[in-house]
Amino acid sequence: ALDWSADASRVAVTSTAGRVYLGELGQSSGGCSGLCGSASWRAHELEGWAVAFDPRDSNTLYTGADDAQLKRWDLRAAADGGEPVATATNRRSHGAGVCCVSPSRLREHCVATGSYDETARLWDVRQLRAPVSELGLGGGVWRLKWHPERADLLLAACMHAGFAVLSSGGAEAAAGGEGLSLVARYEAHGLGGALGYGADWAHGGALAAATCSFYDRALHAWTLEEV
């Protein structure tokens, strides 16, 4: 997985060895210019599937892995040549690997996670002891994308269960909102044979999405009104 910080100054990448690699744009003290590696560390014992910067703080990073753990990291130690510090770890809530970590850019303290245990979860990152809401979707939740203008909507890629649109509560809700609920399903890729992996919203206010699936190499564009 790969993610850029909100100010596009940092990039984080996870590996199948459970390591996280941090890169920074600009001139480094070692003479590197462009994109320079600044830190790497063993974040998880198994494959690292998910990484995401906090949209309001480029020194905060979230990771998820095949060890079913969700972690929050403080990156400030990396600036001094040390390893980032895990400030919170949840080992109990996910029943399988954490495939996706998706912080909301519109709702402070709100993060969604997807897992091979076929469940989407909503978190208040001020406490990661337990999710504030869970919703089973019938397939591994490989991708979760927040709508760029609607703070309540999530688009989910659910592997063999196709795709789904979720509501996380009213647009004015605080972190956690009213809980996750199913708004609609998109099953035109087929169920079971084609794995739903890629999903994203169109920008510009429309409730339009693009989804893509594995094995059949298909890309679909559709609107919420159509489903």
Side-chain angles (χ1 to χ4, degrees), residues 118-176:
E118 303 186 351
T119 302
R121 292 175 173 87
L122 204 62
W123 302 81
D124 183 333
V125 297
R126 291 169 292 187
Q127 62 87 14
L128 290 181
R129 291 188 298 274
V132 296
S133 181
E134 298 181 337
L135 182 66
L137 293 173
V141 186
W142 182 257
R143 185 70 67 238
L144 287 166
K145 298 291 289 188
W146 291 95
H147 192 278
E149 286 92 30
R150 284 277 303 272
D152 58 320
L153 290 182
L154 273 165
L155 178 62
C158 306
M159 300 182 72
H160 61 270
F163 300 86
V165 177
L166 315 179
S167 171
S168 60
E172 302 302 322

Side-chain angles (χ1 to χ4, degrees), residues 26-121:
Q27 188 77 29
S28 74
S29 59
C32 172
S33 60
L35 182 59
C36 308
S38 59
S40 69
W41 69 99
R42 184 74 178 272
H44 295 271
E45 294 300 315
L46 298 175
E47 292 92 337
W49 297 125
V51 64
F53 283 95
D54 188 289
R56 293 167 179 81
D57 181 7
S58 62
N59 282 314
T60 297
L61 190 74
Y62 305 98
T63 61
D66 218 34
D67 57 11
Q69 295 184 20
L70 169 65
K71 295 186 178 185
R72 182 182 65 215
W73 301 89
D74 185 340
L75 302 181
R76 287 174 293 183
D80 300 322
E83 283 197 357
V85 176
T87 56
T89 300
N90 181 289
R91 298 181 174 89
R92 299 180 179 180
S93 295
H94 298 91
V98 181
C99 310
C100 174
V101 180
S102 183
S104 171
R105 293 180 177 271
L106 301 180
R107 290 163 63 171
E108 191 174 7
H109 309 306
C110 186
V111 168
T113 60
S115 172
Y116 284 128
D117 68 5
E118 303 186 351
T119 302
R121 292 175 173 87

Side-chain angles (χ1 to χ4, degrees), residues 159-206:
M159 300 182 72
H160 61 270
F163 300 86
V165 177
L166 315 179
S167 171
S168 60
E172 302 302 322
E178 301 166 8
L180 291 170
S181 60
L182 182 66
V183 175
R185 286 193 178 272
Y186 182 75
E187 301 176 343
H189 287 265
L191 301 178
L195 294 179
Y197 270 173
D200 205 353
W201 294 101
H203 288 245

